[in-house]
Amino acid sequence: MEKDLLAIHDLHAGVEGREILKGLSLNVKKGEVHVLLGPNGSGKSTLMNVIMGHPKYQVTEGTMTFEGEDLTSMPTFERARQGLFLSFQTPEEIPGITVENMLRTAKQAVTGQKIKITAFKKELKAAMEKLQMNPEYADRYLNVGFSGGEKKRTEILQLLMLQPKLALLDETDSGLDVDAVQIVSKGVSAFHNEENACIIITHNARILSELKVDRVHVLVKGSIVAEGGAELIDEINRNGFTHLIGQAE
């Protein structure tokens, strides 16, 4: 039986003494796409941040392992080296650092290998073409003056260039028009293969159009209250979360 890429068991976590995740368990294998659904404030983004090791959040109980290694006390930069990647709902602007320099530095830090400039530039150009990004954006400061859609494409560009083992995508489709969502969806599809996995938070199923969803988890008040296949997305779209909220009381 294939081992889990990510295994979370009975996870309790929160911030400043307030518990947000309440005994959550989740297992992800290579090649899988998992979707997290739930009303605002249900703990979806908290889960992503806890997996990535955001220092704001504290794990008080439970275990998290990635390829069999304990994540609980591992610093964020080491989790990135191990193959974890988190895209943000609202990507930060970083003046003074160009997109190309950031990606080259990040890739060298993650791989531990010296980057060959010519090959890197060729790879970057190809990835930007997939996302229909103007190549001039490689020389612009990271996200400075970018539209919301451009920032989200830059997040997916990082995904394509860094090739993590597990992509945590937190509402990458938020605020995008139909065409931009389609481009982002194709970018995620270009990344995904049998050797990696995705966990996607979304309120808009269009980002899943290019992907085969293996498992859907519904979070309410810090607990998973329902799980199923892709059909659960359609059920939630029809009926909302109201009928599930009582299960988290």
Side-chain angles (χ1 to χ4, degrees):
M1 184 175 180
E2 185 181 356
K3 292 182 179 179
D4 294 320
L5 181 64
L6 175 71
I8 298 174
H9 177 69
D10 193 29
L11 182 66
H12 294 253
V15 59
E16 297 178 351
R18 180 171 65 90
E19 187 174 64
I20 300 173
L21 303 180
K22 304 172 182 178
L24 186 147
S25 297
L26 179 69
N27 297 76
V28 180
K29 290 181 169 58
K30 286 183 179 180
E32 292 184 340
V33 174
H34 288 237
V35 176
L36 299 181
L37 302 176
N40 291 335
S42 61
K44 304 184 298 298
S45 293
T46 294
L47 175 59
M48 296 292 217
N49 280 294
V50 169
I51 294 172
M52 200 66 215
H54 193 303
K56 173 182 174 182
Y57 299 90
Q58 297 84 44
V59 174
T60 56
E61 191 176 337
T63 60
M64 291 189 297
T65 61
F66 185 70
E67 293 191 312
E69 289 194 41
D70 181 25
L71 285 179
T72 309
S73 59
M74 188 181 293
T76 300
F77 74 87
E78 188 59 37
R79 298 184 198 207
R81 284 178 176 169
Q82 293 296 321
L84 288 168
F85 172 92
L86 173 63
S87 75
F88 300 97
Q89 289 185 40
T90 308
E92 293 288 334
E93 296 185 3
I94 306 179
I97 300 177
T98 67
V99 171
E100 180 178 335
N101 285 342
M102 183 279 296
L103 285 170
R104 188 168 67 245
T105 301
K107 189 162 187 173
Q108 187 162 299
V110 168
T111 64
Q113 300 174 354
K114 188 173 181 179
I115 301 299
K116 296 180 179 179
I117 301 299
T118 301
F120 176 83
K121 285 180 175 289
K122 184 177 180 181
E123 183 184 358
L124 178 59
K125 181 181 178 183
M128 295 183 79
E129 287 176 353
K130 286 181 182 177
L131 297 171
Q132 299 180 30
M133 294 180 69
N134 187 326
E136 294 178 358
Y137 276 69
D139 297 321
R140 290 181 58 176
Y141 293 149
L142 182 62
N143 293 327
V144 176
F146 288 19
S147 69
E150 289 163 348
K151 289 180 179 179
K152 296 302 178 72
R153 291 192 205 190
T154 303
E155 291 279 283
I156 302 304
L157 178 64
Q158 294 174 46
L159 181 67
L160 293 175
M161 293 299 293
L162 298 177
Q163 289 294 309
K165 296 174 184 176
L166 177 61
L168 309 170
L169 307 180
D170 189 354
E171 293 193 36
T172 305
D173 52 349
S174 176
L176 301 184
D177 61 30
V178 174
D179 291 337
V181 170
Q182 189 68 17
I183 292 168
V184 166
S185 179
K186 288 181 178 179
V188 177
S189 178
F191 157 76
H192 182 247
N193 58 47
E194 291 303 311
E195 294 301 314
N196 58 41
C198 299
I199 302 178
I200 302 172
I201 296 175
T202 181
H203 291 291
N204 182 348
R206 287 199 301 267
I207 195 175
L208 307 173
S209 63
E210 301 286 333
L211 299 165
K212 175 185 174 295
V213 175
D214 295 284
R215 196 72 176 160
V216 177
H217 314 270
V218 181
L219 272 69
V220 176
K221 297 182 179 179
S223 301
I224 293 177
V225 298
E227 295 181 289
E231 70 281 353
L232 187 53
I233 298 172
D234 295 329
E235 179 185 332
I236 296 298
N237 285 338
R238 288 194 306 270
N239 303 319
F241 300 108
T242 304
H243 65 298
L244 297 171
I245 290 176
Q247 299 180 37
E249 297 294 342

